[in-house]
């Protein structure tokens, strides 16, 4: 694909930043050398054998992510955790062992093994059917938060998520993670989120490794993730391992269900505004399966009934197939298709959505080495249709990625878990292409943009001693802006000073950035550890949007000669504690983050249909800091958590606010969430979620005047005011109507904003309609007492 | 595309949003000079209105600045001092607006000096004005549409004003040829209040050819229209009035054409 690339960029004549990169490149190789030294230095040459295989759900055959295999009663614990494909590998001195296999929500399994040679063993464990049985999870599970060096990470429990009440009963990953400390909602009922002071475009959201560019439906009120199709979701607020990158603030890694490879099953739900249906079936029993899931809203049917010509709906479709060729090779094909449609009669219409596809090949190269190769496709597009004033045309905009990712997992001994690989992505951005349908042709074409992004990564989780764990790695990324096209240089006023033409595939600009990742934990005692981490992240695609709420007309622009890569350096310190035999969990994390090349607009910037958009942008620096507390009850009839975040996030950009620091829009001082789930009986469970946060920073007027027949307001400082405090209580009830081995059905009732607080969605200022000599402030509140009912079934 | 409007409207479709007038304690700011200066090629006098800003909580009575000295000059060596007509309105007929000329306005007000420059662009023919019925969020309504042929040279900026009978809408209708240079432009002038055109109403449209600085001013003024809300970070419009302390407002020299049409069945 890139064979005919001609190099014309300044890599050969490094400017200062490039020189730095080259020096860092040397550091990279030095580190790689040190890494291999550590790994092999700690390899003992005793008589070892490796036990490897897969851990699966006994009923569905679904592989389990993050399940544990450990030697029973080993002190310090000797064990390992399954990777995202359910693979584990454990190298032990030859001998007799009793192994304990465990996973949250599953019954423990004990198995005696006489390990004399390399052995492959598949474990199948059963889900806890009786939710009320007290399961004592042994606190020596290696995946335990206390026991490893990973910080800033949360894994979502799908079962738990399904109980938490949400707007209109549409259970939703993106809204559930907003209840965790450090992750804030971008607005009322919004699936957009801000992590540790970042903007919502600084989150990398992966669905089966494909980047999802716009994860929202219906202008943010719903996310693109149909919870029926999701197996696992992990969010990183910082300290992400080196295999993750491309965005500044966070990573949300979502994995789709593989489907039942033992028997046919169906499930679904009927709700007030949407319905869901999923089907899973073996292709060949115990060897391969197929999972299909769909969802559609039917609000438009009510509109039709009300004799309204307007259109408003969305749908999603998830599909996944997998097949085990033999014990060593397995392939997966998964895809997502979703679309929103919104239309006003025949005058105006817009539809938008994502398409992703992933083809994967898992290969067990040796008992200690696992490989995954992925071919990934991701596409986000929108189309605006206009039929007015005799103009009939469509505007099409699109961002499309083709990627290949090769990842190896190497487990030389129980002390090291090494991940390394490469990731190469080709981006094609179509900012706006006009297709005329009528007689009045408007021939507009914004230039397409091309970029090539590469990452080389290596990461090692090293158990240095029973008390000390180190998680260290490096991600080396390159980003090249490619021709063809005209590229502009701008002066300080944003006027074009120079235009250069590049041919197809020519390098316009290349950036090389090393991203070191480092995490260290020290276990004070079995139940307490302290951790520290440092993370650098780089982002080379930047979202141009004057909204924080995921509008469909998002425009992504690549790093260029004018727009430099965004970088963030984050330092974090944490205390992790398990209390009362792991019944409770208490975490505190404090972080400090600096950011460079943060983007904002000039006053009066025209960001729509503008080929010279870079001239309308300003860049500056940012800083964010805060402390997050999480107290969680994990077992018993009452489960849930209390989260509190105290934080600040600010920007300093020449040309905004007189060049002084100002609070970023998403800055909120206090953020509290309380989530509780209570099992009333085997059939009925109650849930409640209460949130409180300080209002966003906002710009309000400090005076007024009249110009062009309009009352106009005077603005003196950026984000100098606060929206009112926000708080809300949601309550829910789940009633399991029937639960047998063959059929399961349940009802879910919920009320969003149960005490009807009028939270400000917007505050606007206007002339009083009755008395034009006065002006007034108007608060708009959106959702109060929104009830929902959903019927779910599964057989 | 008024996506914000769409966002809120779709939410409205889902539920009834609740609007309420509230009290907010807003900061006060020291009064600033507001300049609204126009000159066109129709022989109408050059006009400058000087007022001052007031705090949000005060009534909409904007104090006039009455003792200013205002000079208008063209690039052909002519200049004149504007006469104060009362209530902060200054006028002169001594300098005519001529297409292609550049005008400089000099203001001495309350001890501070300000200058502004505007070029009066060449006229582009206002081709036609007509009324059609279209679907909008408020249902089927009659909408005025305009058409013009943009010339080959890039950099044309247009502003339209829409009037209905004796009244006038305050909407700013702005177009330029940034991405559609040299083409026939036809646009509908959508109005986002509930006023409907009735049969036999007179629709009056004024077309102005304005310079780039005036366009930027009105464009940025228009961006404020949706008000400060969750998504935008509002700032004062980009003014072409230079001086210190900063003044608000604009000076626009423009060519003008007017058309009328009676609404039929």
């Amino acid at each position: 694909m890139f064979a005919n690339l001609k190099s014309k960029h300044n890599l050969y004549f490094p400017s200062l930043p490039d020189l730095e990169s080259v020096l860092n490149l040397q550091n990279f190789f030095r580190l790689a050398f040190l890494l291999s030294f550590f790994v092999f230095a700690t390899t003992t040459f005793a008589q070892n054998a490796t036990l490897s295989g897969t851990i699966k759900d006994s009923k569905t055959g679904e592989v389990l992510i993050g399940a544990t295999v450990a030697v029973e009663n080993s002190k310090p614990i000797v064990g390992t955790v399954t990777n995202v494909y359910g693979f584990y590998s454990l190298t032990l001195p030859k001998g007799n062992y009793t192994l304990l296999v465990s996973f949250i929500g599953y019954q423990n399994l004990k198995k005696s093994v006489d390990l004399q040679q390399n052995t492959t063993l598949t474990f199948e464990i059963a889900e806890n059917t009786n939710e009320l049985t007290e399961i004592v999870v042994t606190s020596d599970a290696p995946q335990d938060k206390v026991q490893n060096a990973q910080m800033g990470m949360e894994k979502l429990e799908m079962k738990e998520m399904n109980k938490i009440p949400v707007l209109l009963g549409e259970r939703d990953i993106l809204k559930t993670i907003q209840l965790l400390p450090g992750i804030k909602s971008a607005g009322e009922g919004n699936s957009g989120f801000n992590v540790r002071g970042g903007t919502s475009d600084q989150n990398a959201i992966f669905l089966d490794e494909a980047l999802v560019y716009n994860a929202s439906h219906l202008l943010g009120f719903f996310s693109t993730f149909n919870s029926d199709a999701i197996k696992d979701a992990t969010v990183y607020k910082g300290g992400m391992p080196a295999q993750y990158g491309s965005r500044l603030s966070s990573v949300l890694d979502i994995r789709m269900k593989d489907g039942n490879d033992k028997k046919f099953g169906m499930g679904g739900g009927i709700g007030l505004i949407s319905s869901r249906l999923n089907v899973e079936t073996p292709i060949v029993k115990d060897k391969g399966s197929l999972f299909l899931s769909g969802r559609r809203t039917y609000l438009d049917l009510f509109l039709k009934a009300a004799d309204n010509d307007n259109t408003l709906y969305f749908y999603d479709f998830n599909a996944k197939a997998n097949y085990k060729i033999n014990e060593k090779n397995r392939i997966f094909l998964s895809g997502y298709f979703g679309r929103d449609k919104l239309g006003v009669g025949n005058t105006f219409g817009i539809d938008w959505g994502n398409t992703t596809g992933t083809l994967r090949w898992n290969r067990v190269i040796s008992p200690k080495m696992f490989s995954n190769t992925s071919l990934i496709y991701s596409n986000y597009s929108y189309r605006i249709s206009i039929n007015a004033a005799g103009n009939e045309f469509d505007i099409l905009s699109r961002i499309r990625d083709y990627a290949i990712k090769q990842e190896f997992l190497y487990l030389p001994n129980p002390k090291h878990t090494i991940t390394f690989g490469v990731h190469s992505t080709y981006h094609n951005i179509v900012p706006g292409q006009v297709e005329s349908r009528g007689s009045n042709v408007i021939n507009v074409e914004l230039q397409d943009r091309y970029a090539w992004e590469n990452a080389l990564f290596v990461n090692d989780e090293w158990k240095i001693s029973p008390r000390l764990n180190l998680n260290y790695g490096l991600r080396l990324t390159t980003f090249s802006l490619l021709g063809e096209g005209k590229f502009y240089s701008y002066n300080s006023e944003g006027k074009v000073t120079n235009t250069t033409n590049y041919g197809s595939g020519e390098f316009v600009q290349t950036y090389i950035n090393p991203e070191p990742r480092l995490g260290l934990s020290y276990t004070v005692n079995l139940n307490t550890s302290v951790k520290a981490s440092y993370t650098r992240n780089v982002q080379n695609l930047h979202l141009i949007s004057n909204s924080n709420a995921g509008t469909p007309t998002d425009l992504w622009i690549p790093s260029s000669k004018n727009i430099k890569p965004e970088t963030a350096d984050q330092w974090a310190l944490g205390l992790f504690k398990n209390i009362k035999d792991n019944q409770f969990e208490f975490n505190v994390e404090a972080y400090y983050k600096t950011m460079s090349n943060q983007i904002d607009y000039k006053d009066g910037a025209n960001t729509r249909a503008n080929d010279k958009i870079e001239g309308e942008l300003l860049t500056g620096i940012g800083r964010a800091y805060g402390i997050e507390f999480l107290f969680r009850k994990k077992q018993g009839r009452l489960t849930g958590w209390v989260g509190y975040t105290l934080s600040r996030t600010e920007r300093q950009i020449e040309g905004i606010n007189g060049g002084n620091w100002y609070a970023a829009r998403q800055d909120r001082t206090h953020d509290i969430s309380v989530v509780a789930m209570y099992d009333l009986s085997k059939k009925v469970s109650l849930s409640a979620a209460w949130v409180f946060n300080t209002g966003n920073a906002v710009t309000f007027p400090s005076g007024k005047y009249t110009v062009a027949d309009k009352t106009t307001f005077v603005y003196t400082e950026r984000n100098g005011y606060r929206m009112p405090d926000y708080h809300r209580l949601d309550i829910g009830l789940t009633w399991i109507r029937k639960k047998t081995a063959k059929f399961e059905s349940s009802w879910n009732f919920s009320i969003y904003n149960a005490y009807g607080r009028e939270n400000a969605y917007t505050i606007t200022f206007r002339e009083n309609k009755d008395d034009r000599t006065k002006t007034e402030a108007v608060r708009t509140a959106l959702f109060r007492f929104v009830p929902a009912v959903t019927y779910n079934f599964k057989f | 595309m008024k996506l914000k409007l769409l966002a809120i409207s779709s939410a409205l479709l889902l539920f009834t949003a609740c609007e309420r007038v509230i009290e907010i304690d807003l900061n006060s700011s020291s009064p600033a000079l507001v300049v609204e200066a126009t000159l066109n090629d129709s022989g109408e006098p050059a006009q400058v209105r000087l007022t001052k800003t007031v705090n949000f909580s005060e009534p909409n009575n904007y104090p006039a600045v009455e003792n200013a000295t205002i000079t208008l000059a063209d690039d052909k060596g002519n200049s004149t001092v504007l006469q104060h007509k009362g209530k902060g309105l200054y006028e002169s007929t001594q300098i005519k607006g001529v297409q292609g000329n550049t005008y400089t306005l000099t203001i001495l007000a309350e001890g501070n000096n300000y200058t502004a420059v505007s070029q009066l662009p060449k006229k582009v023919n206002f081709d036609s004005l007509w009324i059609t019925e279209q679907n909008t969020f408020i249902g089927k309504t009659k909408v005025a549409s305009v058409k013009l042929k943009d010339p080959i040279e890039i950099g044309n900026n247009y502003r339209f004003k829409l009037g209905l009978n004796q009244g006038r809408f305050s909407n700013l209708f702005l177009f330029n040829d940034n991405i559609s240079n040299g083409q026939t432009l036809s646009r509908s002038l959508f109005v986002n209040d509930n006023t409907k055109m009735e049969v036999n109403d007179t629709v009056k449209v004024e077309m102005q050819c304005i310079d780039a600085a005036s366009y930027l001013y009105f464009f940025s003024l228009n961006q404020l229209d949706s008000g400060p809300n969750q998504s935008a970070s509002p700032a004062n419009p980009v003014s072409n009035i230079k001086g210190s302390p900063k003044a608000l407002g604009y000076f626009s020299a423009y060519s003008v054409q007017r058309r009328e049409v009676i609404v039929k069945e």
Side-chain angles (χ1 to χ4, degrees):
Chain A
M1 195 183 345
F2 310 107
N4 62 346
L5 298 179
K6 280 169 277 172
S7 184
K8 194 185 170 179
H9 59 116
N10 59 4
L11 199 63
Y12 298 113
F13 304 100
S15 60
L16 212 57
D18 282 330
L19 201 64
E20 269 177 35
S21 305
V22 171
L23 289 175
N24 280 318
L25 201 64
Q26 288 179 357
N27 285 339
F28 174 72
F29 288 115
R30 199 170 295 152
L31 198 86
F33 174 75
L34 277 175
L35 171 73
S36 48
F37 175 76
F38 285 147
V39 171
F40 294 105
T42 51
T43 307
T44 49
F45 293 94
Q47 291 287 303
N48 287 346
T50 304
L51 180 72
S52 63
T54 312
I55 303 180
K56 295 162 95 172
D57 179 307
S58 61
K59 204 173 141 198
T60 63
E62 193 82 46
V63 299
L64 300 172
I65 302 173
T68 301
V69 195
V71 177
E72 198 185 31
N73 298 326
S74 53
K75 292 261 173 348
I77 315 130
V78 176
T80 189
V81 177
T82 55
N83 75 356
V84 289
Y85 305 99
F87 173 81
Y88 73 90
S89 166
L90 188 60
T91 301
L92 299 166
K94 287 178 181 171
N96 257 308
Y97 296 97
T98 305
L99 297 171
L100 187 68
V101 182
S102 62
F103 187 55
I104 297 164
Y106 282 74
Q107 291 164 17
N108 291 349
L109 178 78
K110 268 187 205 176
K111 177 109 183 167
S112 294
V113 178
D114 184 15
L115 192 67
Q116 295 304 332
Q117 59 202 28
N118 289 351
T119 308
T120 308
L121 204 54
T122 298
F123 295 109
E124 298 202 344
I125 55 176
E127 213 177 332
N128 284 325
T129 41
N130 191 339
E131 309 243 345
L132 290 183
T133 317
E134 289 273 338
I135 307 292
V136 181
V137 179
T138 46
S139 64
D140 53 10
Q143 93 271 25
D144 197 284
K145 268 187 181 174
V146 168
Q147 297 290 331
N148 63 35
Q150 183 64 51
M151 289 184 77
M153 184 199 83
E154 290 289 342
K155 236 171 112 81
L156 277 183
E157 298 308 327
M158 291 297 133
K159 265 190 179 172
E160 190 175 82
M161 191 189 89
N162 290 343
K163 288 184 186 168
I164 296 172
V166 285
L167 179 61
L168 289 160
E170 278 294 311
R171 47 204 197 184
D172 198 313
I173 288 179
L174 297 192
K175 283 185 203 154
T176 308
I177 64 168
Q178 293 171 7
L179 295 168
L180 295 167
I183 304 177
K184 304 181 181 193
S185 164
E188 175 84 81
N190 202 308
S191 58
F193 58 97
N194 303 109
V195 179
R196 290 187 173 170
T199 55
S200 55
D201 67 305
Q202 292 171 345
N203 305 317
I205 303 176
F206 295 104
L207 179 64
D208 272 0
E209 296 180 292
L211 191 73
V212 177
Y213 278 93
N214 189 333
S216 68
H217 280 304
L218 272 180
L219 306 146
F221 293 123
F222 303 96
S223 90
T224 51
F225 304 110
N226 177 351
S227 59
D228 278 359
I230 307 303
K231 170 152 79 177
D232 183 87
T234 307
V235 59
Y236 296 88
K237 302 181 282 188
M240 42 289 269
Q243 59 264 39
Y244 293 111
S246 79
R247 292 291 181 274
L248 221 54
S249 292
S250 78
V251 171
L252 177 59
D253 188 4
I254 299 172
R255 304 277 166 165
M256 270 160 59
K257 272 185 192 159
D258 300 329
N260 195 324
D261 67 2
K262 294 185 188 294
K263 68 177 195 54
F264 176 85
M266 265 178 97
I270 299 164
L272 282 183
I273 71 147
S274 78
S275 281
R276 298 170 277 114
L277 187 71
N278 65 70
V279 178
E280 46 192 327
T281 182
I283 300 172
V284 177
K285 195 168 184 290
D286 291 328
K287 284 207 137 187
S289 60
L290 181 69
F291 182 87
L292 301 170
S293 168
R295 171 172 70 153
R296 190 194 190 281
T297 60
Y298 30 70
L299 200 71
D300 51 321
L301 304 179
F302 296 122
L303 289 175
K304 286 250 157 49
D307 205 22
N308 187 316
D309 267 349
N310 299 333
T311 319
L312 181 69
Y313 71 90
F314 72 79
Y315 64 86
D316 303 293
F317 184 67
N318 293 74
K320 190 163 181 175
N322 77 89
Y323 185 73
K324 198 162 87 179
I325 300 165
N326 53 36
E327 281 307 315
K328 292 200 162 139
N329 293 284
R330 191 174 188 192
I331 49 168
F332 299 79
L333 179 66
S334 57
Y336 165 81
F337 316 87
R339 209 83 194 154
D340 281 59
K341 279 185 190 288
L342 194 154
V344 183
N346 58 355
T347 310
F348 174 84
I350 176 164
D351 65 275
W352 68 95
N354 299 280
T355 305
T356 70
T358 313
L359 175 65
R360 284 189 283 210
W361 172 33
N362 281 185
R363 182 170 161 73
V364 180
I365 295 173
S366 80
K368 293 180 181 181
M369 178 94 103
F370 179 91
S371 148
N372 177 62
T373 312
S374 299
L375 294 174
I376 306 157
Y377 170 82
S378 174
N379 181 77
Y380 174 74
S381 67
Y382 67 85
R383 179 185 291 270
I384 298 171
S385 308
I386 288 168
N387 180 5
N391 296 312
E392 223 183 298
F393 62 97
D394 287 0
I395 302 166
L396 175 77
S397 174
R398 184 176 67 208
I399 180 160
R400 187 179 274 175
D401 289 358
Y402 302 91
I404 180 164
K405 189 175 176 187
Q406 173 59 49
E407 194 173 319
F408 295 98
L409 174 70
Y410 177 50
L411 299 129
N413 55 51
K415 284 189 188 303
H416 290 276
T417 303
I418 300 162
T419 310
F420 60 98
V422 291
H423 191 174
S424 181
T425 309
Y426 180 73
H427 303 283
N428 172 13
I429 304 169
V430 177
Q433 185 180 307
V434 174
E435 295 167 1
S436 179
R437 287 183 279 121
S439 50
N440 242 325
V441 183
I442 296 186
N443 214 348
V444 180
E445 195 113 330
L446 299 173
Q447 296 187 72
D448 292 4
R449 290 291 185 229
Y450 311 91
W452 186 25
E453 191 168 12
N454 288 292
L456 203 66
F457 55 86
V458 55
N459 198 82
D460 179 21
E461 286 174 60
W462 180 18
K463 293 175 186 123
I464 300 175
S465 79
R467 287 187 184 277
L468 205 58
N469 289 316
L470 180 67
N471 190 348
Y472 63 110
L474 184 73
R475 183 178 175 88
L476 183 73
T477 51
T478 70
F479 186 88
S480 302
L481 180 64
L482 305 175
E484 70 179 299
K486 272 189 223 134
F487 293 84
Y488 308 107
S489 303
Y490 301 85
N491 64 14
S492 57
E493 271 140 45
K495 298 271 181 295
V496 173
T497 53
N498 190 23
T499 306
T500 318
N501 278 296
Y502 287 85
S504 175
E506 274 188 285
F507 284 80
V508 179
Q509 178 75 36
T510 296
Y511 290 102
I512 302 172
N513 276 295
E515 302 175 36
R517 313 282 169 84
L518 194 67
L520 188 69
S521 73
Y522 178 75
T523 312
V524 181
N525 59 45
L526 254 182
N527 294 314
T528 312
S529 69
V530 286
K531 303 185 191 183
S533 75
Y534 163 73
T535 318
R536 168 170 260 240
N537 279 301
V538 175
Q539 180 165 349
N540 279 298
L541 284 171
H542 319 280
L543 181 68
I544 304 304
S545 161
N546 59 354
S547 155
N548 202 20
T551 55
T553 56
D554 285 348
L555 171 69
W556 292 88
I557 62 166
S559 292
S560 67
K561 281 185 179 4
N562 311 293
I563 302 298
K564 305 275 188 295
E566 296 175 60
T567 62
D569 293 280
Q570 187 185 148
W571 292 263
L573 267 177
L575 172 74
F576 294 75
K577 219 169 159 41
N578 285 332
I579 304 162
K580 270 190 114 178
D581 283 342
N582 219 9
Q583 274 193 47
F584 301 94
E585 176 188 300
F586 177 68
N587 309 330
V588 190
E589 288 193 43
Y591 65 91
Y592 185 84
K593 187 154 84 171
T594 59
M595 291 164 269
S596 75
N597 298 319
Q598 298 299 290
I599 297 173
D600 210 318
Y601 315 103
K602 288 186 176 156
D603 294 344
N606 178 13
T607 57
R608 296 274 165 247
N610 185 352
D611 221 11
K612 299 171 186 75
I613 194 162
E614 292 177 4
E616 307 270 9
L617 305 178
L618 297 167
T619 56
I621 55 172
R623 62 184 179 206
Y625 44 95
I627 184 160
E628 301 162 358
F629 298 85
L630 179 67
F631 181 77
R632 192 195 281 262
K633 184 171 184 299
K634 301 201 291 193
Q635 295 166 39
R637 292 177 87 149
L638 178 73
T639 55
W641 68 86
V642 179
Y644 171 70
T645 310
L646 175 69
S647 66
R648 186 128 183 85
T649 177
E650 297 165 302
R651 301 289 179 272
Q652 185 189 37
I653 296 174
E654 205 57 55
I656 296 175
N657 206 41
N660 297 313
W661 283 98
Y662 62 93
R665 218 192 61 88
Q666 66 272 21
D667 178 62
R668 293 177 198 158
T669 314
H670 305 284
D671 210 302
I672 304 169
S673 52
V674 182
V675 178
M677 284 150 280
Y678 183 72
D679 290 326
L680 212 57
S681 72
K682 284 186 181 181
K683 301 225 152 186
V684 181
S685 65
L686 299 173
S687 63
W690 183 76
V691 292
F692 171 92
N693 62 254
T694 311
N696 280 341
V698 68
T699 307
F700 283 158
S702 299
K704 60 186 173 182
Y705 58 104
T706 182
V707 73
D709 302 328
K710 283 168 183 290
T711 297
T712 306
F713 301 106
V714 184
Y715 300 95
T716 51
E717 58 193 331
R718 173 69 69 99
N719 295 348
Y721 291 87
R722 287 278 157 188
M723 293 292 278
D725 290 345
Y726 180 102
H727 54 92
R728 191 190 80 228
L729 174 74
D730 305 333
I731 51 174
L733 183 152
T734 305
W735 174 35
I736 299 167
R737 186 109 202 285
K738 207 172 171 190
K739 191 168 184 176
T740 64
K742 288 225 167 85
F743 185 80
E744 229 180 283
S745 73
S746 65
W747 287 90
N748 184 283
F749 303 90
S750 68
I751 301 174
Y752 180 89
N753 199 357
Y755 55 79
R757 157 103 174 157
E758 286 180 28
N759 284 306
Y761 183 64
T762 61
I763 290 178
T764 51
F765 300 87
R766 67 180 186 201
E767 218 168 57
N768 185 307
K769 284 198 175 85
D770 305 319
D771 181 355
R772 294 200 60 189
T773 66
K774 282 187 181 149
T775 44
E776 61 195 15
V778 180
R779 178 188 66 204
T780 305
L782 283 190
F783 305 108
R784 299 174 64 206
F785 317 107
V786 184
V789 55
T790 311
Y791 171 76
N792 292 305
F793 64 92
K794 198 169 138 187
F795 60 84
Chain B
M1 309 312 130
K2 289 271 180 201
L3 280 164
K4 262 167 269 162
L5 184 79
L6 281 176
I8 292 171
S9 309
S10 50
L12 281 175
L13 283 171
L14 285 165
F15 312 95
T16 42
C18 156
E19 264 196 3
R20 207 179 288 273
V21 173
I22 54 165
E23 285 300 315
I24 289 190
D25 189 19
L26 294 171
N27 296 339
S28 52
S29 57
S30 49
L33 180 70
V34 181
V35 179
E36 186 158 21
T38 54
L39 171 69
N40 67 40
D41 64 343
S42 70
E44 290 161 355
Q47 285 194 332
V48 178
R49 186 178 289 279
L50 298 185
T51 52
K52 303 205 81 171
T53 62
V54 299
N55 287 329
F56 186 85
S57 55
E58 293 170 42
N60 300 352
N61 296 325
Y62 306 106
V65 178
E66 308 202 312
N67 295 315
T69 308
I70 303 178
T71 314
L72 180 65
D74 64 17
D75 52 358
K76 303 286 184 288
N78 308 308
S79 91
T80 182
V81 174
L82 277 69
Q83 300 299 309
H84 186 227
K85 300 287 178 184
K87 292 182 178 172
L89 178 68
Y90 300 78
E91 283 190 357
S92 171
T93 48
Q94 295 300 306
I95 288 200
K96 300 282 183 230
V98 177
Q99 291 175 33
N101 281 5
T102 300
Y103 298 88
T104 305
L105 189 72
T106 315
I107 301 168
L108 173 62
E110 298 178 332
N112 301 312
N113 281 300
Y114 297 93
T115 58
V117 177
S118 184
Q119 200 220 355
L120 203 155
K122 290 215 165 60
K123 188 174 286 181
V124 173
N125 191 42
F126 185 178
D127 200 56
S128 53
L129 164 67
W130 74 99
I131 309 290
T132 52
E133 190 147 82
Q134 289 186 12
N135 274 314
T136 68
F137 259 116
I138 56 166
K140 278 204 163 155
T141 51
K142 291 196 160 60
V143 178
S145 296
V146 295
K147 190 150 98 180
L148 61 96
K149 174 79 173 79
D150 186 69
I152 298 298
E153 306 82 55
I154 198 158
N156 292 287
N157 302 285
Y158 310 101
R159 177 188 173 197
F160 288 86
K161 284 176 156 181
L162 177 66
L164 183 64
N165 301 323
Q166 301 316 310
R168 197 166 74 210
F169 295 103
S170 64
N171 296 58
L172 289 161
F173 303 103
L174 298 165
F175 313 117
N176 68 13
D177 62 357
N178 204 2
I179 55 162
S180 48
N181 184 39
Q183 303 185 11
T184 299
L185 305 178
S186 55
R187 296 290 152 86
S188 295
L189 309 180
F190 288 106
V191 181
N192 56 5
D193 68 18
N194 289 321
T195 316
K196 287 200 175 184
M197 293 175 185
E198 305 293 343
V199 173
N200 291 330
D201 279 355
T202 306
V203 175
K204 302 170 183 176
V205 174
E206 176 177 315
M207 171 177 160
Q208 301 180 356
C209 297
I210 58 178
D211 70 357
S214 309
Y215 180 86
L216 181 59
Y217 179 80
F218 291 118
F219 183 85
S220 49
L221 178 64
N222 205 27
Q223 283 183 326
L224 289 178
D225 234 19
S226 45
N229 60 27
Q230 281 218 310
S231 38
S233 289
N236 297 323
V238 185
S239 175
N240 60 352
I241 314 281
K242 306 274 179 263
S244 180
K246 268 195 175 166
L248 298 155
Y250 68 94
F251 169 41
S252 176
Y254 58 92
S255 66
V256 65
Q257 295 161 81
R258 297 186 177 101
R259 281 178 172 275
E260 282 187 17
V261 65
I262 309 276
V263 179
K264 303 210 172 64
E265 276 295 344

